[in-house]
């Protein structure tokens, strides 16, 4: 995908030129930054999916098959990295016990749909250094 310029020159001025923009259309490809993310209860977590598609894809997030929207628990953001590449982030503002599970990032456009799963698991609690034995 790019812009191409064709220049015609027969030795007699002026030269003629034409510009053509070539867009290759294709279904989305979703690549998670990590497939498993560890977090502690109460922490802020950002899940990231990289998406390649043209035309640009519409991206949704879900937790255990329930679609997520911006709220006091979640926020989403996206940034265009290149013409057909974008980065999509789901921010979990304060992880609670009910927010551990399987998150799905789904990208769709007129040419198809693709998804990636990210499992959010609870980090093991740090021990206080005391070991009790019988």
């Amino acid at each position: 995908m790019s812009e191409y310029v064709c220049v015609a020159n027969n030795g007699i001025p002026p030269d003629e030129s034409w510009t053509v923009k070539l867009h290759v259309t294709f279904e989305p490809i979703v690549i998670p930054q990590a497939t498993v993310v560890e977090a502690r209860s109460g922490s802020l977590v950002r899940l990231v999916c990289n998406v390649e598609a043209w035309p640009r894809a519409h991206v949704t997030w879900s937790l255990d098959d329930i679609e997520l929207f911006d709220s006091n628990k979640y926020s989403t953001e996206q940034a265009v990295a290149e013409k057909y590449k974008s980065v999509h982030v789901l921010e979990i503002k304060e992880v609670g016990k009910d927010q551990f599970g399987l998150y799905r990032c789904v990208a769709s456009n007129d040419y198809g749909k693709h998804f990636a799963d990210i499992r959010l698991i609870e980090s093991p609690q740090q021990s206080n250094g005391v070991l009790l034995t019988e």
Side-chain angles (χ1 to χ4, degrees):
M1 290 183 16
S2 189
E3 190 172 287
Y4 294 88
V5 178
C6 177
V7 178
N9 176 337
N10 62 2
I12 301 171
D15 294 348
E16 286 289 328
S17 66
W18 297 270
T19 301
V20 176
K21 291 182 182 179
L22 176 64
H23 293 283
V24 178
T25 57
F26 60 99
E27 66 184 43
I29 300 166
V30 181
I31 304 161
Q33 184 175 0
T35 55
V36 177
V37 175
E38 288 187 14
R40 294 181 190 248
S41 290
S43 65
L44 180 136
V45 175
R46 293 169 59 92
L47 307 180
V48 180
C49 278
N50 298 292
V51 177
E52 296 182 14
W54 192 265
R56 285 196 188 103
H58 171 71
V59 175
T60 59
W61 289 88
S62 62
L63 168 59
D64 297 326
D65 294 325
I66 298 170
E67 190 170 350
L68 302 174
F69 300 95
D70 286 352
S71 65
N72 60 341
K73 290 183 178 184
Y74 302 100
S75 66
T76 57
E77 36 181 279
Q78 63 182 24
V80 176
E82 292 179 29
K83 286 182 184 179
Y84 61 93
K85 293 181 181 182
S86 55
V87 179
H88 301 266
V89 178
L90 175 68
E91 185 174 273
I92 306 165
K93 297 177 184 176
E94 190 174 330
V95 176
K97 293 279 185 197
D98 60 335
Q99 292 170 303
F100 294 106
L102 188 66
Y103 286 82
R104 179 165 282 178
C105 174
V106 180
S108 59
N109 68 11
D110 292 342
Y111 296 92
K113 181 187 278 192
H114 191 244
F115 67 86
D117 291 333
I118 301 172
R119 182 164 299 281
L120 180 62
I121 61 173
E122 189 168 10
S123 293
Q125 296 296 321
Q126 285 184 335
S127 69
N128 58 8
V130 176
L131 177 64
L132 300 176
T133 60
E134 288 185 6

